[in-house]
Amino acid sequence: MRFKTFACFVGPSLLLMVLFIAVPLVSVFIQSFHVTQPVIERIETERCTAGFLEQQCSTEIKNVPVLDERGSIVTTTRFVGLENYRAVVRPDSVQAAISSWNWPALMAIDFWKALRFTLSFTLITLPLVIGLGLTIALAVNNTTRSIRGPVIFVSLLPYIITPVIGALSIRWLFVGDGILTQAMEAWSGRQISMFAQGWTIELLMLFYRVWHVAPFAFVIFYAGLQTMNRDAIEAAMMDGASRFERLRYVIIPHLMPLIFFVSLIHLMDAYRVFEEVVGFRSQAHVISLQWLTYDLLQPDDAGNRAVSRASASAMLTMIGIVILLVPLLRKSWRDHKGVR
Amino acid sequence: MSTSKALRQPVTLRMLSASFLTFWCLLAAFPIVWIAVMSVKAPLDAFASNPFDVILGPITKAQGRGLTVLDIAVLLIGLWLAVRVAMRVLPGLAARYSPPGFLALGWVVVILGYGIALFLLGFVVLPPVLGAINAALGLDPLIGLTTQHYHSVWVKNAFWKNFVNSAVVTTGVVTISLTVGTLAGYGLARSGSNLAFWLLIAALIFRALPHSVLVAGYLPIFINSAEILRPILGENAPTLYGQPLAVIAVLVSINQPFTIWMLRSFFQSIPAELDEAARVDGCTHFQAFRRVIMPVMWPGVITTGLFSFLLAYNDFLVTSLLLDQSDMTMVPAIAGYFNRETTMTDQVEAIAAAVSITAPLFLLVMIFQRQIVSGLTAGAVKG
């Protein structure tokens, strides 16, 4: 295929990606070093009211935003260096917290709180998703053919459901005197409220994410099991491999590329954790990095959006995912070179 | 498949695996089924502490709303028939009656028609008929059930407006992202150049980006776009913020990396000899793509379209930040219920709205289960 035809085919898609992914990235990068503020001028006004014998006058100094001829507020943008990053990371508070070994003080800063949750969330769900997905795939592979269809149908439901709704549906089971909270209270004989402290919410979030993504891992592993070579298993049996050894040394190595693929996708998606915070309404206790940016972008009571600080937090979020992905990308690069 | 004696498993293991699978299916279905049950009960029943009260709904029944034995029987048979028709009859119908080359359109018409037919049959035709028969037979309600929450969500709270917005955004995203994506996917699959490889790696990295990073880039530009574009477009420069079209463009772009990866692996499974033969017969690359490759690509296109649909339909972050309150899609609109969720009635209405959002997805899995599985697998084949 000549370069020109290739360009014609790929052009529209590339244009969209450049316009809506690459350019915004650059603009976020630039924004994160600047602050946009309305131009404020001080106006001295003298107000006089009629009084007995003489007028009573008072002068008042007001800060008023400057308006242009269209009546909209004039803004200036100035370069502030790393100030936005400092406002997000708060290095001085971090230093104080670390030097006094004060973990709660460190966790009181939004960014570090979000980072702690996002990383632990990503790394804890990863093995759970792969383990559960593999177990379901092996179990489905074990059953008779006739019930596989319905089982796959039911299994796909958690994966296909809107994430916010999925989180909400689990929340409604536990919120207040929800049906499962009642059950746990009856079983343990204690008053339980799942949404009053951080760690229970976090448990529910972990549960939700595993419930949501395990079907995806299951379908892929199940497809991998279908291409499994029976001769290899039978040969392993001839050599006297036990059931567990066959799983460990024959089946899992066969599925390894798929496990790698699922890990890569899951790492990307779990790092973006956001819908759980919205669905479980956990912002008072648990927040994630993406939610932090989202919150800064939401207009506050005065209608202002903290775009500069949001850009700084967005850049930091991005650096995090790049660091997480580097080992995986390096591995796929080595594979790519090895194939050649 | 006959299992050789040596491979046969001991009974305990088989029992263990079967019980685990049962447990998983219960776990997978329970939250969804449960909110569906809650949404048709009076608030006091929906949040009752005894699970049997939630299922049977005594208070709802006391209000005179409920199902008799006959209703339940008709409902179960109807549901079973609906699933059968969706899984067996619909794909054939779409394939047979859609004009050649417009299979996707045929699917859209068939699904919409099926949804509307089910709705009419279930909510308009059946209730009065069954009501009359029940009255004639003198049957008393057995299970409490009410559709009042759905009524207040869709009619009183004008949820249908959000539904229309969702439909606009989703249709736009699926159409554009497939058109652009098939072209790019074909180009990438048929070009072995280094440039193609690096484009795919860049797309992979783009896929990893959190969406909030990108939205932080759009937001200031979109809000001020009228002023930025004025020198070029003159007085009628649009403000992109709040425009469904802008959201469609954004969602299409965010979805592009995934779309081109998936379509590329589908195109690679089509032998290159096919388009070479067409080229020998005198087609240009584009003609070969349109006349020869596209007709055999429909399964791949439908599968990728499904995933674009899911992304656009399920999105919360982009739509909630880039759209106004007045033209919200369904998923962010449900956040409006959070703020009002003070009384029990509000909560049940929020649940009814959530179930309404889930229902189309449910229908989708029913019809397209096979395509979803094959799509996930195709994505995995090429990593």
Side-chain angles (χ1 to χ4, degrees), chain A residues 13-14 20 24 28 31 70 142 149 152 155 162 173 182 211 223 230 237 268 272 290 305 318 336 340, chain B residues 7 9 24 27-28 34 49 180 194 197 199 207 209-212 217-218 220 230 241 253 256 314 369 377:
Chain A
S13 168
L14 196 62
F20 287 98
V28 169
Q31 270 171 37
R70 290 176 196 281
N142 236 348
I152 293 176
S155 300
T162 312
L173 295 178
Q182 296 272 3
W211 178 77
R230 286 172 71 88
M237 284 187 61
M268 290 178 181
R272 283 201 283 243
Q290 177 147 247
R305 299 166 196 259
M318 211 188 80
H336 174 74
R340 277 190 173 177
Chain B
L7 277 176
Q9 294 163 325
W24 160 250
L27 197 69
W34 198 254
S49 52
V180 176
N194 267 336
F197 173 77
L199 275 180
R207 193 197 173 278
L209 290 179
H211 300 166
S212 65
Y218 306 134
R230 190 166 287 134
Y241 175 79
S253 317
Q256 267 312 291
N314 286 347
Q369 181 185 342
T377 320

Side-chain angles (χ1 to χ4, degrees), chain A residues 173-176 178-195 197 199-200 203-204, chain B residues 49:
Chain A
L173 295 178
F174 287 100
V175 74
I179 198 83
L180 290 184
T181 314
Q182 296 272 3
M184 285 193 306
E185 278 176 355
W187 181 63
S188 70
R190 285 170 49 199
Q191 185 73 26
I192 296 175
S193 52
M194 290 298 278
F195 290 90
Q197 59 278 325
W199 66 271
T200 43
L203 267 184
L204 285 181
Chain B
S49 52

